[in-house]
Amino acid sequence: MNDQLELTPELMLGAYSVGLFPMGNSENPDVIDWYDPDPRGVMPLYGFHLPKRLCRTALSDRFTVTADRDFEGVMRACAAPAPGRETTWISETIVSLFCRLHDMGYGHSIETWRDGEMVGGLYGVALGSAFFGESMFSRETDASKVALVHLVARLRLLGFDLLDTQFGTTHLSQFGGVEIDASDYKTRLRNAVRSDQRWTPLSTAEIATEIRQIREETRLAGG
């Protein structure tokens, strides 16, 4: 599907609801490629592994963590060149479409700040009780990890069922990320997108309490 005129936020939501996700072609920014990997990466919301040290960092005042404060800024930080990654799949077309999803209440971001500067974050799409993680960035040690911890705590509190990470990676596996068969994923996805769950504001105290609960579950599991 390479015709930019066909791409709308509604089309993207329909694609997500059946297991597809888009990525800009790093060699041709006018082309959007669609992916439906098997196996599929997911992050268990219950079973998330939160190390003691990272929990302390997430609960400390080292970072200020916000939600939806600078969605486009997170996207552009994720797209910025980095050592070993001189090109990006986050094209201007992708930025435009996701920002429209954000304006419609489906695109969301978590930002981590230090001394007024955004040093980490992540973004994705919420649909029903599913959150489709797209990308994350970090300019300081633990900045993106803390954003992930806050995302998991938020999704648990809001009653979400599915955190889609697209692909399994060694980085995500340290937190409990796994790969599952695409057929299993799509069964879970069908149930999740039928849900009437919504991304809504939460207080700092609520999130901190949930982070402590995640750490306690990790401890009881031997972590």
Side-chain angles (χ1 to χ4, degrees), residues 59-123:
L59 293 172
S60 73
D61 59 2
R62 177 176 166 189
F63 298 114
T64 298
V65 184
T66 59
D68 292 336
R69 178 179 292 181
D70 189 359
F71 182 86
E72 183 174 349
V74 172
M75 286 201 72
R76 294 197 178 279
C78 289
R85 192 199 70 220
E86 283 66 41
T87 60
T88 180
W89 59 268
I90 305 175
S91 64
E92 285 301 315
T93 299
I94 289 289
V95 172
S96 176
L97 284 165
F98 275 87
C99 285
R100 289 170 68 187
L101 286 173
H102 173 63
D103 291 341
M104 294 166 63
Y106 294 100
H108 298 285
S109 59
I110 303 290
E111 305 91 7
T112 51
W113 307 80
R114 186 168 171 84
D115 298 328
E117 178 185 357
M118 187 165 60
V119 294
L122 57 82
Y123 77 94

Side-chain angles (χ1 to χ4, degrees), residues 6-17 34 97 100-101 104 106 127:
E6 295 182 5
L7 293 175
T8 64
E10 292 77 13
L11 182 148
M12 292 181 69
L13 292 174
Y16 275 111
S17 71
W34 293 87
L97 284 165
R100 289 170 68 187
L101 286 173
M104 294 166 63
Y106 294 100
L127 184 60

Side-chain angles (χ1 to χ4, degrees), residues 28-221:
N28 186 344
D30 294 325
V31 173
I32 299 295
D33 297 321
W34 293 87
Y35 293 84
D36 183 11
D38 187 6
R40 187 70 166 238
V42 297
M43 179 66 70
L45 296 175
Y46 294 87
F48 184 83
H49 180 79
L50 178 55
K52 185 177 181 180
R53 184 192 62 79
L54 181 58
C55 180
R56 285 199 303 266
T57 302
L59 293 172
S60 73
D61 59 2
R62 177 176 166 189
F63 298 114
T64 298
V65 184
T66 59
D68 292 336
R69 178 179 292 181
D70 189 359
F71 182 86
E72 183 174 349
V74 172
M75 286 201 72
R76 294 197 178 279
C78 289
R85 192 199 70 220
E86 283 66 41
T87 60
T88 180
W89 59 268
I90 305 175
S91 64
E92 285 301 315
T93 299
I94 289 289
V95 172
S96 176
L97 284 165
F98 275 87
C99 285
R100 289 170 68 187
L101 286 173
H102 173 63
D103 291 341
M104 294 166 63
Y106 294 100
H108 298 285
S109 59
I110 303 290
E111 305 91 7
T112 51
W113 307 80
R114 186 168 171 84
D115 298 328
E117 178 185 357
M118 187 165 60
V119 294
L122 57 82
Y123 77 94
V125 173
L127 184 60
S129 63
F131 187 88
F132 307 91
E134 284 294 325
S135 189
M136 58 172 49
F137 81 99
S138 184
R139 294 174 179 156
E140 187 171 320
T141 301
D142 290 338
S144 63
K145 293 178 181 179
V146 167
L148 178 60
V149 171
H150 275 252
L151 174 67
V152 170
R154 178 177 294 273
L155 296 180
R156 284 167 50 123
L157 286 166
L158 294 176
F160 277 61
D161 300 309
L162 179 63
L163 174 49
D164 175 6
T165 64
Q166 300 178 345
F167 303 101
T169 67
T170 301
H171 174 69
L172 292 174
S173 67
Q174 67 182 304
F175 302 106
V178 296
E179 291 184 320
I180 61 175
D181 290 342
S183 59
D184 183 18
Y185 169 79
K186 289 178 180 178
T187 296
R188 295 175 59 181
L189 176 64
R190 282 193 295 272
N191 293 329
V193 297
R194 294 191 188 111
S195 169
D196 60 359
Q197 301 302 123
R198 292 290 183 270
W199 178 286
T200 54
L202 293 168
S203 71
T204 300
E206 288 176 302
I207 293 174
T209 297
E210 191 66 17
I211 290 173
R212 294 186 182 94
Q213 177 60 33
I214 295 170
R215 172 55 202 160
E216 178 63 11
E217 291 169 10
T218 300
R219 185 189 68 80
L220 291 174

